[in-house]
């Protein structure tokens, strides 16, 4: 393979993992000083997960037909993203209707996200080797504060976020934006992600691609380390 000049990473499920649906719900209820019994809280969390209401979590187990169009464009703008996920949340009864928006706000907070255990090591290793790093994400909000809060922003040279450009993976245009920002020929770029269908779109430009498992952070301690083996 041609010597790498840059590595692009997906965000959710690749460099960071969102908190569990139950932890997400608990945090918002605690912030609003609302109590649910443990059985009710567990059942509500299960219902929210099945609905696909947590961005970065599981996809809906059954997408309501009236939301299909909105779901399709959810990553192309911040308004669409909020509308899609709060609509999914509203499929589940909550003690206070205001909790649906509060849950959406919570998922954008740095506290809702944890970097994978080897993320700092791998990003620092790439920086030491002179390899540029970009983040390419289908997302409806600005994830830069999450990187800053966890100390990873210093390793990232550019972000290509779908909502800022109105185009989403696997469209090659989003990957090209990142490559151009890094002044890197796509043939010298590796794309790392957890979704072959979306992240694999980088291959259309000539990028190499590799995939990691979308697992909770404590179950994937070293999934990113093989990236360093590909740097020559």
């Amino acid at each position: 393979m041609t010597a790498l000049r840059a590595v692009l990473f997906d965000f959710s499920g690749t460099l960071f993992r969102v908190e569990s649906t139950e932890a997400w719900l608990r945090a918002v209820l605690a912030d609003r000083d609302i109590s649910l019994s443990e059985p009710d809280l567990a059942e509500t969390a299960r219902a929210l997960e099945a609905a696909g209401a947590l961005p970065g979590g599981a996809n809906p187990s059954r997408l309501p037909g009236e939301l299909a169009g909105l779901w399709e464009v959810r990553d192309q703008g911040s308004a669409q993203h909020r509308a899609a996920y709060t609509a999914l949340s509203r499929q589940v009864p909550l003690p206070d209707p205001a909790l649906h928006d509060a849950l959406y706000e919570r998922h954008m907070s740095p506290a809702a996200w944890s970097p994978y255990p080897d993320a700092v090591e791998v990003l620092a290793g790439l920086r030491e080797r002179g390899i540029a790093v970009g983040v390419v994400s289908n997302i409806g909000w600005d994830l830069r504060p999450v990187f800053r809060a966890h100390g990873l922003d210093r390793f990232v040279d550019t972000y290509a976020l779908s909502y800022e450009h109105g185009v989403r993976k696997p469209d090659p245009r989003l990957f090209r934006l990142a490559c151009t920002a890094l002044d890197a020929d796509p043939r010298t770029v590796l794309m790392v992600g957890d979704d072959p269908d979306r992240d694999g779109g980088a291959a259309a430009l000539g990028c190499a691609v590799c995939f990691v498992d979308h697992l909770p952070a404590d179950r994937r301690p070293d999934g990113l380390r093989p990236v360093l083996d590909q740097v020559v």
Side-chain angles (χ1 to χ4, degrees):
M1 185 176 71
T2 304
L4 287 178
R5 289 195 56 194
V7 178
L8 306 178
F9 290 93
D10 172 51
F11 167 56
S12 175
T14 300
L15 287 176
F16 282 84
R17 174 76 179 199
V18 74
E19 64 191 341
S20 71
T21 308
E22 184 171 316
W24 176 56
L25 177 60
R26 282 185 185 278
V28 171
L29 292 175
D31 185 62
R32 296 298 182 98
D33 198 25
I34 297 174
S35 296
L36 287 178
S37 69
E38 283 300 311
D40 284 347
L41 190 148
E43 178 57 34
T44 301
R46 284 193 292 269
L48 287 167
E49 184 163 351
L54 173 58
N59 284 334
S61 59
R62 184 191 67 80
L63 183 66
E66 67 272 17
L67 298 182
L70 187 57
W71 179 255
E72 182 65 21
V73 299
R74 68 193 183 280
D75 295 318
Q76 292 178 220
S78 56
Q80 296 98 308
H81 194 268
R82 178 184 287 272
Y85 281 101
T86 54
L88 290 171
S89 174
R90 289 188 176 95
Q91 306 297 306
V92 180
L94 295 177
D96 179 350
L99 288 172
H100 298 289
D101 283 312
L103 285 167
Y104 186 84
E105 293 294 331
R106 164 72 187 183
H107 104 274
M108 296 187 288
S109 70
W113 295 88
S114 298
Y116 279 91
D118 55 347
V120 171
E121 173 192 340
V122 170
L123 292 175
L126 293 173
R127 178 55 54 92
E128 291 169 1
R129 292 161 172 79
I131 304 298
V133 168
V135 172
V136 183
S137 179
N138 284 354
I139 198 164
W141 50 277
D142 186 4
L143 51 72
R144 294 172 184 87
V146 174
F147 279 78
R148 287 195 293 269
H150 290 280
L152 272 64
D153 184 63
R154 67 188 188 274
F155 301 121
V156 180
D157 300 291
T158 195
Y159 297 87
L161 309 180
S162 62
Y163 86 102
E164 292 183 333
H165 301 285
V167 60
R168 59 183 181 145
K169 299 179 290 186
D171 193 316
R173 289 177 292 174
L174 197 60
F175 304 104
R176 187 177 295 281
L177 284 164
C179 292
T180 299
L182 297 174
D183 193 26
D185 185 318
R187 293 170 295 181
T188 68
V189 174
L190 172 67
M191 175 66 205
V192 183
D194 68 308
D195 188 323
D197 291 334
R198 294 183 178 89
D199 299 313
L205 296 180
C207 298
V209 295
C210 72
F211 303 105
V212 294
D213 293 324
H214 187 109
L215 293 170
D218 60 356
R219 291 175 53 199
R220 208 195 76 195
D222 55 5
L224 292 167
R225 288 194 182 114
V227 171
L228 294 177
D229 297 334
Q230 300 197 43
V231 178
V232 296

